[in-house]
């Protein structure tokens, strides 16, 4: 099956129905102090599936303090990778932008990629 289409198989006659369902990968990196807020956003939008990495080090490309888990730079990041339908991407990104505007000193970044295939 080529990704981008969901195949639903009927239980009655084994026929298949192809439904367009374009998906995007959204990678979110954020100060771990924002974990509850990011999870709340995902829950509110009914985005259930994701993978999270804890205690990730990083440094912003333009400004902000590094998050290295050291004595000098004690903060750390968490990251989430979630796969969402196209129609949820704009709302998710807009909501993350609002969170970022309220918590600029904490730091949050999000990136969107096309999903080409899955199983």
């Amino acid at each position: 099956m080529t990704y981008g289409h969901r195949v639903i198989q009927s239980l009655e006659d084994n026929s298949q129905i192809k439904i367009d369902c374009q998906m995007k990968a959204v990678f979110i990196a954020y100060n771990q102090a924002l974990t509850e807020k990011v999870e709340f956003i995902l829950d509110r939008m009914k985005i259930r599936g994701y993978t999270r990495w804890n205690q990730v080090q990083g440094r912003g490309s333009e400004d902000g303090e590094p998050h290295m888990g050291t004595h000098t730079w004690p903060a750390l990041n968490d990251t989430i990778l979630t796969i969402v339908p196209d129609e949820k991407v704009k709302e998710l990104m807009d909501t993350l932008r609002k969170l970022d505007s309220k918590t600029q000193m904490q730091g949050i970044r999000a990136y969107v990629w096309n999903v080409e295939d899955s199983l």
Side-chain angles (χ1 to χ4, degrees), residues 11-50:
L11 295 177
E12 296 172 9
D13 63 1
N14 274 348
S15 63
Q16 293 184 343
I17 303 168
K18 189 189 289 189
I19 300 173
D20 282 335
C21 184
Q22 299 296 321
M23 304 292 281
K24 301 287 187 197
V26 181
F27 180 78
I28 310 164
Y30 54 91
N31 184 314
Q32 64 186 181
L34 298 175
T35 297
E36 288 182 14
K37 290 177 174 30
V38 172
E39 287 180 346
F40 176 79
I41 290 167
L42 296 176
D43 288 344
R44 193 185 78 214
M45 292 186 62
K46 296 184 177 21
I47 297 172
R48 185 176 181 280
Y50 62 81

Side-chain angles (χ1 to χ4, degrees), residues 53-65:
W53 293 269
N54 297 318
Q55 299 185 356
V56 177
Q57 299 174 347
R59 178 177 68 186
S61 58
E62 295 180 24
D63 57 9
E65 295 182 352

Side-chain angles (χ1 to χ4, degrees), residues 68-85:
M68 299 297 188
T70 65
H71 178 71
T72 305
W73 306 110
L76 285 166
N77 291 327
D78 283 356
T79 59
I80 285 180
L81 179 64
T82 186
I83 310 302
V84 300

Side-chain angles (χ1 to χ4, degrees), residues 86-118:
D86 275 354
E87 62 268 9
K88 289 192 176 191
V89 172
K90 182 178 179 349
E91 180 184 355
L92 176 58
M93 292 299 287
D94 288 347
T95 305
L96 292 172
R97 283 183 183 98
K98 287 177 189 171
L99 176 60
D100 183 46
S101 72
K102 294 177 184 176
T103 59
Q104 286 183 341
M105 294 303 294
Q106 300 300 318
I108 184 169
R109 294 293 175 262
Y111 306 90
V112 180
W113 294 288
N114 290 323
V115 174
E116 300 296 328
D117 198 4
S118 74

